[in-house]
Structures are given as C-alpha cells and as structure tokens.
Amino acid sequence: MDLFEHQGKEFFARYGMPVSPGEAVFTVDEAVAAAERLGTPVMVKAQVHTGGRGKAGGVKFAADIDAVREHSGNIFGLDINGHIVKRIWIEKASDIAEEYYASFTLDRSAKKHLGMLSKEGGVEIETVAEENPDAIAKIWIDPVDGLSEAACREWVAASKLPDAAVEGTVDILQKLYTAYTDGDADLVEINPLILTPQGDVHVLDAKVTLDGNSEFRHEDYGQYDGTQPRDEREEAAHAKGLQYVGLDGTVGVIANGAGLAMSTVDVVNQVGGAAANFLDIGGGANADVMAGALEVINNDPAVKAIFINIFGGITRGEEVANGILEAMQRVDIDSPIVIRLDGTNADEGRAILAPNLTNKLMMEETMLDAARKAVELAGGT
Amino acid sequence: MSIFVDENTKVIYQGLTGSQGSYYGRLNAEYGTQVVAGTHPKKAGSDVDGVPVYANVADAVAATGATASCIFIPAPGVRGAVMEAAEGGVEFIVAITEGVPAHDEAYFYNDLKRNFPNVQLLGPNCPGIISPGKCNIGITAGHIAKAGGPVGIVSRSGTLTYQALYELKQKDIGVTTCVGIGGDPVPGTSFIDCLEAFEADPDTKAVMMIGEIGGSAEEEAAEYIKNHMTKPVSSYIAGVTAPPGKKMGHAGAIVSGGKGTAAAKMEALEDAGVRVGHNPTEAGELMAEIVASL
C-alpha cells in the first residue's frame, strides 16, 4: 500500500521524527484557511501516488495567501503521470541549507534490509546511483540484529555528511529504521532529508509503502486502503476480494493462480491481442467466485471477449464447469466466452460444458488455441 | 532418486486440526506420504483420521522420529511455527501459508541461517514439494505428476507448477521431484538450492525452471547454471507483458524501477545456455526435445 506524502509524514511523526506542521486539503478555500492557520510562507504540494510532482508543477512555494489561492487553484485537477490531483498538502515552508537522501528497503537478493544514505538528495536516487554511485553509502542490516547506534554512526560517517548534520541524521535514521520494521513497511524514503541554516536535520518529504500482508497487526492500515490509486474496475474487484489489475486491451482474462493468470495475459498478447486485465480467482473456482469475476469483467466496456483459463489441481474439472454454468445464469454476460479447462478431471468438466456450448460459450483444448479464439472474437488479430 | 523428500520422509503437520491442514494432510497421506503427526498446543492426545496430535513439534519429533514439517498455520502464526519446527528438531520445513508479512520472512530466514544452518525451509506461500510416487507434501494434486524421472522441476508459481507437471505427463515424461519455491519476496529455498540438489541427484537428467517477473532470483539462477550446471535446463518466465509498478498477484511479482522484467530474465537464461519457451506449452515441448536427446 502506497501512502500519500502527508500520510507518510504522519506515520514518521508517530516514530518521533521531525516533520513540518501542515494540513491536507481538498478545495482552494480549505487550502487558504489552512495557510492562514499555519502562517505563510507555506509549500503547496500535490498529493499523488507518483513521482515527478515538482517537474509537473505540482509543488509550489507560496509567500502569501494570494499565492496559496493561485497555486492551489492551478494544482487541483492537474494530471501528473496520469494521476489527477484531488488532495493538496499545505505545509509550513522550511529554509534549506543542504539536501540529503535516506531510505530503507528489503534487498531481496541479499535477504537483508538495505539502508541507503546520500549527501546528494533532492534528485532521483536512481540518477545518483547511475552517475555517481560512490555518493550513496549503503548498509545491509540483518533483521535479527537490527540497526545498532554504532553501526548507524559508521554508516553516516561513510556518507561524508557535514559534521553539523551527523547527530541529527543518526537520530532520524534510527527512528526511520524502527518505523520501517515496527511499521511493517516495504519502503521508507526521505528525499530530501534537509539540513536547515539553523543546523537542524529535518524530514521534508516522505515516501512510504506498507506491506498489506501485515494489516492484521496494524489498526492504522485500514485508513490507507481507501486512498489507494485504483481505477473503477480495480475498485469493484477489490470490493469482491479478487486479485485484479486493470490493463488496456479488449480480452478479459480469468485464470486460477497468479502465475497462470500472468501467463494467460502473456499468451493473449503473443497471439496478437491485448488483455483487458489480470484476474486471479485463486485455487477454488466455485460458482460464487466465478460469478464475481465475470461480473467485474462484464462491467468493463472495453472487453469484447472473455478468456477463462483454468487448470484444475486440487479443484476438480466438474466443479469448475458447474461453477461457470451457474455463474452464467446469475450474470448476464455481453461478450463471448472462450474456456480452456485442463488438469484434474478435465474430461468430466468438458463433458458438462459440451451440451451448453453456443456462439457465446466456446471451448478450446489448449491455452494457445483458446487465446487465439478469444483474440479473434475480440476482433484484434 | 529424488531431492529433499522421499518415501522415507516422516512429516508432521502443524495445523493438522484446521480445515486446510486436515484436508491436505488427508490427501497427502492417501498419496502415500508418511503423515505421522499433527500439532496443536491444546489438543495433544487427540487424533485426526488416526494421526496422533502432539502439543508441539518437539514432542511430535520425540514420539515419531519425523524429520519434516508442513505448516498450515494462518499467516500471523507462521513466524512462530517456523521457529517451533526448527527448535523442535526437524530438518525440512514446508510453509504453505500465503500472506506472511515480508518482515517476518526476512527475520526467520536469517534466524534459521544463523542458528539452524542445517534446516531447509521451503516457502512460505508455496504449493509444496512432490517426489512423484514417493512423497507429496503440500497442495499439489498428486495424480497430475508421472513418477520416475528424468526431469526435475522448480517453480515460483503454483498453478504453473501444475501446468508443467501436466505438460510433461501428457508427453509421458516422469519427474524425480517438483519443488514449488513460492512467489514471496524472501523464499526459504531458492532456485539455486534446487538446481544444486538436482545437479547432484543421479536420477535427475534435466531441469525445468519456471520463473516470473520481480526480483533477481532468475538472473542469479542463470549465473549458477552458466558456471555450475552440467545438466540441460528449459525455462519459462511468466509476466512478459506485465506493466511496471503493478503487483501481479504474488507479493514478489512486480516490475519496479525497471528491474525484474521478464525480458532481462529470459536473456540471462538464454545467455547461460537455457532453452527458454515463450509459454508453458513451449517450455514443455522444449523439455520433451531435451529428454529425447538424452
């Protein structure tokens, strides 16, 4: 789950990190009122789940209230990499002497936590990594040991931050690591972490991704779920508990298992079509789940044909076949359906489907043939 | 022969008294797996289909001599269950459960490496392991696999593992062992662990490896194959057309920051001499060609 910048800052503040006071607002009037309460100058910052806000004109300095009105008016509704700005964070402006970068994430290859610290902040860390890799000090942390103060000091020393920034940075990094582990984050990133002319180290931006699998031990996760960027289709699928990712094509895909679903999307593309979605209905393909999946796909106006790709493992072919027929009675499907059913008791399942086959419900023997048929029906080979 | 598990492997089921655990425990036992015990802290002395239940893994090991454990415990309890199994004395742990927090996985992976270096963990979020005709631990439907050899299978995806087994069975090709390593960010067993074991197993003559987008495990496997494998390998990578930044069902299956793409993985594998199919059927056909030429 990705957090907005302001949610990330609130998350950091709970772990004792220094962030600026601010308010999240949804209208220009609210923006003005917030700026009046905070006192100008303020920063007017678009809240979207994507990078490049500054370049797109989504982050502005406002010296007075008139500027707040003007900038927030321009930023609301702005399209930043396909994300429309609906919420703005008004924050007390900070004086900046220097900008740094700090983050923790899991290094899947090393199977340890990776901390990165750089005195070259304020720009994309990927750019720094490419152009000046020596400017990034890295530390690999064994989760069993955690991050000791001594190790943290050694790491900060390696980053060659100026002396004035060392104490504040050591303190923030230890708190950031606690937020990362106790908060079950996949990523915590501060860019920039700043040194003020007064000598304070301060968090000026926050990028936080939380691990949805940890929701059971974090009551606060619920509030972030509603602010995830999902299109209408994804929202409907999410409400039904389906694993769905919206894509741009015309062939609706339903498969059991994440790997097979991904593979189905690939094969549709390989035979010259384009998948409208990725949808994994999981291990059990019963009528309820199948009906829900068909409903979600049927509501996507781009879909011209549906490809149901099921490999029965523990789930038996006849259950799948009955599930599909029952679901079709419950949901009025507009597009033709092509089924490929294989695996456990596939013959029994196919026998159940056979008398029900029409020009709206077709069956093919193999995954490739079924993909070709679906693409042909969608009119796109 | 087979790798990791065979007909002599005695298995404890942590969570045998639950709905999933009892269902798959029964199926595994029917397949011929030595299902010798279950555990539940409050149900010691009872049984499930005649399989005795003990209070914990240590008691179960003491009573049965089991060397493996299969975990069907809900995600919040998996960290505790894995460590209980290791402390209880088993050498091979299969964690089927999906949805385990990544921080828990990173923690117990490192804890095991340090304090229980002889313990091999498979999973979490995996279908399990099957040495066809001998032992089936987990949720794979046993009858879709043909016993014998000469092929070993290792896969990150559950249903694609079944697909691979099935493709080979249709072609009358047997399998020594099929390992589902799971789609999570920190799998206990890696591709390389399996490739190494298959390379050492005299009955495995070729390996089918099924990967997917995300991480760099396939690239690392390619490096290993290039430098250490004498046996031929065929492969398939799912997610060629996956858009960046979207998790495709598995917690680990995501293309982020331009890393973990299928194209990069396929290139690395081909560079290592692996024959890469563009879909599961093609990978099966490539393996049939390899087997025919053995």
Side-chain angles (χ1 to χ4, degrees):
Chain A
M1 286 192 296
D2 294 327
L3 269 54
F4 285 124
E5 174 199 355
H6 78 89
Q7 292 171 326
K9 284 180 173 169
E10 287 153 12
F11 177 77
F12 285 168
R14 287 207 291 281
Y15 292 91
M17 282 180 265
V19 297
S20 307
E23 294 182 31
V25 298
F26 299 86
T27 65
V28 173
D29 288 344
E30 283 176 23
V32 167
E36 277 166 351
R37 276 190 292 272
L38 291 163
T40 52
V42 295
M43 294 302 294
V44 182
K45 304 182 83 176
Q47 300 295 292
V48 281
H49 292 101
T50 182
R53 290 178 301 168
K55 272 182 219 148
V59 179
K60 295 284 181 190
F61 173 79
D64 53 36
I65 293 296
D66 284 345
V68 172
R69 193 182 303 279
E70 185 194 335
H71 292 316
S72 58
N74 291 336
I75 292 173
F76 275 122
L78 198 64
D79 182 333
I80 304 177
N81 300 329
H83 297 251
I84 307 297
V85 180
K86 292 175 186 154
R87 120 181 11 214
I88 284 175
W89 175 242
I90 305 290
E91 174 178 286
K92 190 94 179 133
S94 301
D95 293 328
I96 301 171
E98 293 196 32
E99 297 184 311
Y100 315 128
Y101 170 96
S103 70
F104 290 104
T105 188
L106 175 69
D107 181 340
R108 288 169 54 174
S109 188
K111 297 179 168 68
K112 293 195 164 35
H113 299 310
L114 169 63
M116 291 198 282
L117 178 64
S118 175
K119 61 180 168 44
E120 292 184 18
V123 290
E124 291 280 320
I125 195 66
E126 285 83 4
T127 312
V128 181
E130 242 171 58
E131 289 169 5
N132 191 9
D134 293 343
I136 303 173
K138 295 181 179 176
I139 184 173
W140 280 269
I141 304 159
D142 187 320
V144 179
D145 296 326
L147 177 63
S148 68
E149 191 187 326
C152 189
R153 282 191 181 281
E154 208 173 300
W155 175 34
V156 173
S159 74
K160 302 191 175 69
L161 254 54
D163 290 347
V166 167
E167 287 307 315
T169 303
V170 166
D171 181 58
I172 287 176
L173 288 176
Q174 286 178 283
K175 287 169 176 164
L176 185 63
Y177 184 76
T178 305
Y180 169 69
T181 52
D182 289 7
D184 274 305
D186 288 336
L187 167 74
V188 291
E189 183 182 82
I190 306 174
N191 189 21
L193 176 72
I194 61 160
L195 177 67
T196 68
Q198 296 78 35
D200 297 320
V201 182
H202 192 80
V203 175
L204 209 60
D205 197 5
K207 189 172 176 193
V208 176
T209 305
L210 299 173
D211 176 8
N213 283 347
S214 306
E215 194 160 0
F216 66 85
R217 58 187 176 207
H218 297 283
E219 282 178 8
D220 57 316
Y221 276 26
Q223 64 177 298
Y224 307 127
D225 188 60
T227 55
Q228 291 309 296
R230 300 188 184 99
D231 66 23
E232 258 177 61
R233 303 173 296 171
E234 289 173 335
E235 199 58 61
H238 182 71
K240 290 183 196 296
L242 295 168
Q243 295 268 11
Y244 179 99
V245 176
L247 303 168
D248 298 328
T250 55
V251 178
V253 166
I254 297 175
N256 65 328
L260 188 64
M262 249 191 284
S263 186
T264 308
V265 170
D266 288 348
V267 170
V268 165
N269 282 275
Q270 276 168 20
V271 300
N277 65 277
F278 160 99
L279 202 172
D280 168 20
I281 55 168
N286 65 36
D288 280 344
V289 179
M290 190 59 83
L294 280 171
E295 214 170 295
V296 167
I297 297 221
N298 198 44
N299 285 338
D300 181 350
V303 169
K304 300 290 178 250
I306 300 169
F307 177 10
I308 301 179
N309 189 10
I310 303 292
F311 190 93
I314 295 293
T315 316
R316 296 194 299 272
E318 67 266 31
E319 290 171 22
V320 176
N322 285 323
I324 292 171
L325 292 179
E326 205 184 315
M328 285 185 69
Q329 282 177 353
R330 283 198 239 164
V331 187
D332 197 15
I333 312 290
D334 303 325
S335 307
I337 298 174
V338 183
I339 300 168
R340 173 265 188 169
L341 179 59
D342 228 327
T344 308
N345 292 5
D347 288 341
E348 287 85 339
R350 289 174 188 162
I352 290 167
L353 290 171
N356 296 287
L357 297 177
T358 63
N359 62 351
K360 296 287 273 183
L361 180 67
M362 283 160 264
M363 189 158 60
E364 292 288 340
E365 287 252 335
T366 70
M367 188 161 155
L368 272 172
D369 287 341
R372 286 193 190 102
K373 187 79 187 171
V375 170
E376 181 196 318
L377 289 166
T381 42
Chain B
M1 266 179 64
S2 47
I3 67 167
F4 301 140
V5 297
D6 60 23
E7 64 273 29
N8 299 315
T9 307
K10 291 180 179 173
V11 194
I12 297 164
Y13 284 67
Q14 293 170 260
L16 186 68
T17 55
S19 66
Q20 297 274 306
S22 61
Y23 180 68
Y24 291 111
R26 189 180 308 125
L27 286 178
N28 288 175
E30 282 168 12
Y31 188 79
T33 308
Q34 290 203 50
V35 178
V36 297
T39 61
H40 191 288
K42 292 183 190 133
K43 292 180 184 166
S46 66
D47 73 282
V48 177
D49 296 337
V51 176
V53 174
Y54 300 88
N56 54 55
V57 173
D59 287 359
V61 167
T64 64
T67 55
S69 176
C70 183
I71 294 173
F72 277 103
I73 303 277
V78 167
R79 176 167 154 179
V82 167
M83 295 321 295
E84 181 192 323
E87 283 158 11
V90 300
E91 291 158 4
F92 192 71
I93 304 169
V94 181
I96 303 297
T97 314
E98 65 178 318
V100 177
H103 280 273
D104 285 4
E105 290 182 6
Y107 191 96
F108 60 65
Y109 178 90
N110 284 286
D111 199 349
L112 289 178
K113 282 279 173 240
R114 184 185 303 190
N115 298 312
F116 301 92
N118 296 320
V119 172
Q120 181 85 41
L121 169 70
L122 177 63
N125 188 20
C126 76
I129 180 168
I130 176 169
S131 293
K134 298 172 181 170
C135 178
N136 183 11
I137 305 175
I139 62 175
T140 306
H143 56 85
I144 58 173
K146 182 177 153 64
V151 179
I153 298 176
V154 56
S155 168
R156 252 171 88 183
S157 148
T159 28
L160 287 179
T161 311
Y162 311 155
Q163 179 78 39
L165 282 168
Y166 194 70
E167 298 271 358
L168 294 185
K169 192 183 183 186
Q170 298 299 95
K171 295 176 168 60
D172 206 35
I173 298 171
V175 170
T176 51
T177 300
C178 172
V179 192
I181 61 174
D184 273 4
V186 193
T189 293
S190 68
F191 279 127
I192 294 174
D193 295 329
C194 298
L195 292 169
E196 204 169 10
F198 281 133
E199 177 70 16
D201 173 37
D203 289 345
T204 302
K205 310 288 186 199
V207 180
M208 195 163 167
M209 177 182 139
I210 297 171
E212 62 187 29
I213 53 164
S216 56
E218 289 79 3
E219 287 87 335
E220 287 152 23
E223 192 65 24
Y224 180 85
I225 291 166
K226 200 176 188 174
N227 298 326
H228 303 285
M229 289 281 288
T230 60
K231 298 175 181 178
V233 180
S234 83
S235 183
Y236 166 66
I237 306 292
V240 176
T241 49
K246 297 261 191 186
K247 272 186 192 174
M248 298 299 251
H250 284 165
I254 182 167
V255 174
S256 52
K259 293 214 177 95
T261 65
K265 292 173 188 295
M266 290 162 78
E267 201 185 309
L269 287 164
E270 276 171 348
D271 187 48
V274 174
R275 300 189 66 186
V276 183
H278 289 85
N279 54 62
T281 311
E282 212 177 287
E285 283 161 2
L286 290 173
M287 184 44 79
E289 283 175 25
I290 290 172
V291 170
S293 70
L294 284 173

